[in-house]
Amino acid sequence: MSVPPLDASLATFSENDASVKLVWAVFSVIPGAPALSFYGSMGEAQMLAYPDLPPGGLERAAGCAAEAGALRALDVADFIDKGDIGIAALSGAAAMFRLFFGDKTKALDTDPQQGADAALKALALAFLVHQLIPGSIPEKVATLRGTQAGEALLTWYAAVEIALPFADDAALGAGSVVGHMIDKYGTGHLSKLDMLGGSGAGANAQTMLGALAGPLDNIIVNVSRYTQQIADAAKQYLPTAIATAGTVAGAVATAADALPVYRLLVARLVTEISLSRCTGAST
């Protein structure tokens, strides 16, 4: 009997994995970041976050996690980490590399390249949220932000994809950082999402991201004050090859496969959304 995709995703990780330790280290130095507990299955998540689940609730949640939208969310996270369609042309881990060694020419080739990557990741994340959570756009946002995993996903993106590589821009606070990034670097990305999710995926992602831009901007303003602390806390958990790489290609190639952070965070998101949505429980 095959293992359900969510179970397989959660079982991929342990508390000792570099990806897990990296996320926990980053969040430990960001005031207001979610206080995460590790779990390796939906049952463990239920005991931690939903101890009063009614009879049959766990089975119903497992059914939700097997729905098409949940499976699509897991697939999108996999694409983000592996870069199979160009979403992860650069990893946010490379921005950490830049801060560690203080030489911006070694870590990232150009801001436009990093900006294009961050814009596409934002749209991809918005698309998976749109697919995973039912209801109106405001209801989707409220459900997302009502889970620790949702806040963790937004916080990680804001810290590693925006605040680290674009610390100066993020700190300016003039208008929407996310909106500016999409306007500047997002050209052509909607068609890539249509390739990934079918016709209309790009439009749905754009609508969803419009609703998430405000919350993301607020998080970006907060985390941009702690970029050096984030880099210092994360350094010890990055793969050795990244810490010793002398080129962007070396750092990024290693990070793409060695740090499946989005697969970790999205698996947790699918778990918690399924528990919340299909049981009527609240976080």
Side-chain angles (χ1 to χ4, degrees):
M1 184 175 179
S2 61
V3 177
L6 177 61
D7 292 346
S9 294
L10 290 172
T12 301
F13 300 96
S14 74
E15 288 187 82
N16 293 321
D17 288 339
S19 297
V20 174
K21 290 186 175 182
L22 176 61
V23 173
W24 266 241
V26 167
F27 285 9
S28 73
V29 296
I30 300 174
L36 302 180
S37 297
F38 179 81
Y39 52 79
S41 69
M42 180 175 280
E44 291 178 7
Q46 178 262 312
M47 288 187 288
L48 286 167
Y50 301 89
D52 299 323
L53 202 67
L58 189 59
E59 290 75 14
R60 291 194 297 274
C64 290
E67 292 178 355
L71 299 180
R72 177 57 56 82
L74 295 173
D75 286 342
V76 173
D78 195 54
F79 280 126
I80 293 174
D81 279 326
K82 289 183 177 178
D84 291 351
I85 59 168
I87 287 180
L90 285 173
S91 169
M96 294 182 185
F97 179 93
R98 178 179 68 183
L99 287 182
F100 299 156
F101 297 97
D103 185 350
K104 295 185 178 183
T105 63
K106 286 187 177 181
L108 300 172
D109 290 327
T110 60
D111 275 357
Q113 189 176 13
Q114 178 73 12
D117 176 61
L120 190 48
K121 284 180 180 177
L123 288 166
L125 292 173
F127 172 65
L128 75 82
V129 169
H130 188 278
Q131 292 292 295
L132 174 62
I133 304 174
S136 66
I137 295 296
E139 288 170 340
K140 292 175 189 287
V141 174
T143 300
L144 175 73
R145 303 208 70 191
T147 64
Q148 283 193 337
E151 287 296 288
L153 185 62
L154 295 180
T155 301
W156 177 265
Y157 176 84
V160 176
E161 310 295 349
I162 303 296
L164 285 178
F166 303 106
D168 293 341
D169 293 337
L172 293 179
S176 171
V177 175
V178 174
H180 175 69
M181 180 189 65
I182 296 298
D183 290 342
K184 188 173 181 179
Y185 301 115
T187 303
H189 287 339
L190 299 184
S191 62
K192 291 183 181 180
L193 283 179
D194 285 340
M195 290 170 53
L196 173 62
S199 178
N204 288 336
Q206 193 171 33
T207 300
M208 191 74 240
L209 186 57
L212 292 174
L216 275 171
D217 284 333
N218 290 335
I219 298 172
I220 290 166
V221 170
N222 178 45
V223 300
S224 65
R225 304 185 184 105
Y226 307 101
T227 52
Q228 192 60 56
Q229 292 94 320
I230 291 169
D232 290 341
K235 182 177 180 180
Q236 60 184 310
Y237 299 116
L238 293 177
T240 302
I242 293 180
T244 58
T247 65
V248 178
V252 173
T254 302
D257 288 328
L259 293 172
V261 170
Y262 284 106
R263 277 172 273 179
L264 167 66
L265 294 177
V266 173
R268 291 174 64 92
L269 179 64
V270 172
T271 299
E272 294 179 28
I273 291 294
S274 296
L275 285 166
S276 176
R277 179 168 72 88
C278 294
T279 66
S282 60
T283 55

